[in-house]
Amino acid sequence: MSGLSMSGLAIFALALAVAAFSPGPGIAAIVGRVLGRGRPGAVAFVSGMAIGDVVWLSLAVLGLAVLAETFREVFTMVKYAGAAYLLYLAIKMWTAPVSAREIAPAAGRESRARLFLAGLAVTMGNPKTMIFYLALLPNLIDLGRVDALAYLELALVTLGVLAVVFGFYILVTLRARDLITSPRALRLVNRGSGAIMAGAAVAIAAR
């Protein structure tokens, strides 16, 4: 039985936490969506984003950075698909009707599978995530010595760190949303979060 040392896992976890906490298109997408739509679908959306990180981790561990470059067109299509869906969500937020009787999330009918795939596309097309796993990760860990157990450890640490980071942003954003007490305020928040989501889409598509 092999695996990585505790110090190696700690270095990876710390670097990933710093990278994940730093503002970027992915965090903007989380904040925009949760602020505009509340809790429903948030877990599905960030789960897709986290699995996207595991995909990039797998590519780095398997030494497939060259393959990723070879199939750059495929990842470009994924990037634009994710950006397009973010724009679609942004438009829905901007135009969402608000009634005086219900100051509550209005997105309960959104498909969890679709939101999961949207989150996955956001991460797969996020330049910051690509750079971390394909360029920076080899400087943090000797990928040539990563066996099956070490890979499992890295994947679990990745999911654990992202659960904490994404959960933090979701809770903080939900707390901010709870302070909304009028339909007019909610309408402004919907449009503001739609603008944030659209900005995240543009940031992803433009890089």
Side-chain angles (χ1 to χ4, degrees), residues 37 84-96 190 193-195 197-198:
R37 292 305 197 192
Y85 191 70
L86 288 183
L87 283 175
Y88 165 75
L89 292 178
I91 293 172
K92 288 189 65 176
M93 291 177 189
W94 186 275
T95 60
N190 281 343
S193 58
M197 188 74 80

Side-chain angles (χ1 to χ4, degrees), residues 15-185:
L16 177 60
V18 171
F21 261 115
S22 63
I27 296 302
I30 293 174
V31 172
R33 195 198 175 280
V34 175
L35 192 61
R37 292 305 197 192
R39 189 188 306 274
V43 173
F45 187 73
V46 298
S47 294
M49 293 180 62
I51 294 301
D53 272 70
V54 174
V55 172
W56 281 119
L57 170 67
S58 303
L59 289 173
V61 169
L62 294 174
L64 297 181
V66 174
L67 182 62
E69 180 67 20
T70 302
F71 290 94
R72 182 170 50 185
E73 293 79 6
V74 174
F75 290 108
T76 299
M77 291 176 61
V78 171
K79 177 178 73 172
Y80 287 132
Y85 191 70
L86 288 183
L87 283 175
Y88 165 75
L89 292 178
I91 293 172
K92 288 189 65 176
M93 291 177 189
W94 186 275
T95 60
V98 178
S99 62
R101 61 181 176 81
E102 185 179 11
I103 310 301
R109 297 188 184 89
E110 287 181 309
S111 167
R112 299 297 193 272
R114 185 178 296 176
L115 287 170
F116 176 87
L117 292 175
L120 178 64
V122 166
T123 297
M124 294 305 296
N126 188 345
K128 186 179 76 171
T129 308
M130 298 181 199
I131 292 171
F132 178 81
Y133 288 104
L134 298 184
L136 298 183
L137 183 60
N139 295 320
L140 300 173
I141 295 175
D142 183 1
L143 296 179
R145 301 182 63 181
V146 174
D147 55 15
L149 178 58
Y151 168 76
L152 179 61
E153 291 171 347
L154 288 171
L156 291 176
V157 169
T158 297
L159 293 175
V161 169
L162 294 180
V164 172
V165 173
F166 294 165
F168 169 80
Y169 276 106
I170 289 174
L171 290 176
V172 169
T173 307
L174 286 174
R175 177 58 180 166
R177 184 183 172 87
D178 287 341
L179 300 177
I180 302 168
T181 58
S182 71
R184 181 175 181 275

